[in-house]
Each structure stands twice: as structure tokens, then as C-alpha cells.
Amino acid sequence: MRQACSLFALLVASGSVFAQAPPATEEASGTAVRGSIVEDRTAKKLLEAGDARLDANEATKAVEIWKSVIERYPRSRYRFDAHLRLGNYFLEKERVYDRARIHFEAATSEENTSEPQRAEGTLKLGICYYHVRNFGKSFQVMRDVIEKFPVSPQVNEAYYYIG
């Protein structure tokens, strides 16, 4: 009995008990299925673990952890946080603008309901285009920041890059 309880506790802690496929009716109807609370909590803890690794100067391990959030929890709302962290890392630390742009594009998708995240992702997407000297596309994205998110703090920085 004690072993069965230990095994159940281990399965619950790993999240595998709750990682079931969504019902077929929701997939067929085309509605977005959000991750469970348990998945969100675990994804958030992984993000924090990645932040701790970055603070400990273990950047490669932090990148692996953030990527694992995206792979393991594709329906969690925290996947957009992971995309933003990866994009910021590639933009600011590695200066690999094409890899950063991929993550910022994912963070700006319509599935993301967080306006501040979408505003930040859109601005950083424009900054990536700016650094690869694609100024036309950069200015277009910066204008999108100004039009779509007029009250966000990113608007001032968008004007800065346009100027």
C-alpha cells in the first residue's frame, strides 16, 4: 500500500497523470485548448529554474530548460514567457537575431492573450529586423506597436527606433 501511494505521489508530481490528450470534440471544433493548472504550475517552476540557471552563469542550461517548457507544455500560457526569455537571450546575449525573431514571432501570435507580452514581443521583433538592417520591415513592425498597443510602455521605444 505504501509503495502504491509513493508511486501515485511520484506520478502526480511529474504531471504525467494530468497530461492527457484533450477530448476529440474540442479539437474538432477548432477551439484552443488551454493547459491544466498543474501544467501551468510546473511550467512556471521550470521557467524560474531557468532564470536561476541564468543567474548562476549557466546560460546553456537555462536555454535548455526554457526550450523544455515549450516542448513539454505546448498548451500552457507560460510557453509565451519561455519564448520571450529565449528571444531576449538570443537578442541580447548571443546576438543571433534570426533565432531570436522566431521566438518573438511565437510570442506575438493571436493565441497569446496577454497584451503586455504581445507588445514586448512585437517591439523586440522590430528590433531584430533593425539589427539585421531590414529597416523597412523594422519600421513597419514598430508602427504596428504604436497602432496596436498605443498605451503600452513599448510605444516610446518604437518611436525611438523609427527616429
Side-chain angles (χ1 to χ4, degrees), residues 8-20 36 38-39 42 73:
F8 179 73
L10 179 66
L11 288 173
V12 170
S14 69
S16 63
V17 171
F18 299 103
Q20 299 174 354
S36 70
V38 174
E39 286 180 349
T42 308
Y73 307 105

Side-chain angles (χ1 to χ4, degrees), residues 3 8 21-22 57 68 75 79 122 128 130 138 143 160 162-163:
Q3 289 177 340
F8 179 73
N57 292 328
S68 74
R75 297 179 301 171
R79 72 183 184 275
T122 306
C128 288
Y130 181 86
S138 175
R143 286 186 198 101
Y160 171 79
I162 290 174

Side-chain angles (χ1 to χ4, degrees), residues 63-134:
V63 169
E64 288 176 19
I65 292 171
W66 293 329
K67 285 181 180 178
S68 74
V69 170
I70 297 168
E71 293 168 0
R72 289 183 186 177
Y73 307 105
R75 297 179 301 171
S76 173
R77 64 186 168 116
Y78 290 103
R79 72 183 184 275
F80 299 116
D81 287 325
H83 279 296
L84 285 175
R85 282 177 170 86
L86 284 166
N88 285 327
Y89 175 78
F90 289 130
L91 175 66
E92 296 165 3
K93 304 279 191 222
E94 295 283 324
R95 306 237 183 254
V96 185
Y97 304 114
D98 291 333
R99 288 182 73 186
R101 192 178 73 228
I102 292 168
H103 292 289
F104 291 131
E105 286 172 348
T108 61
S109 71
E110 293 297 320
E111 294 176 17
N112 190 356
T113 58
S114 172
E115 289 282 322
Q117 285 180 346
R118 289 180 50 215
E120 180 184 353
T122 306
L123 176 74
K124 298 285 177 91
L125 181 63
I127 292 172
C128 288
Y129 283 121
Y130 181 86
H131 283 295
V132 295
R133 300 187 181 275
N134 188 347

Side-chain angles (χ1 to χ4, degrees), residues 37-67:
I37 295 171
V38 174
E39 286 180 349
D40 284 349
R41 188 177 304 135
T42 308
K44 183 178 179 185
K45 286 182 182 180
L46 275 174
L47 284 174
E48 292 169 355
D51 294 343
R53 291 291 183 140
L54 189 63
D55 291 342
N57 292 328
E58 297 177 4
T60 56
K61 193 66 176 171
V63 169
E64 288 176 19
I65 292 171
W66 293 329
K67 285 181 180 178

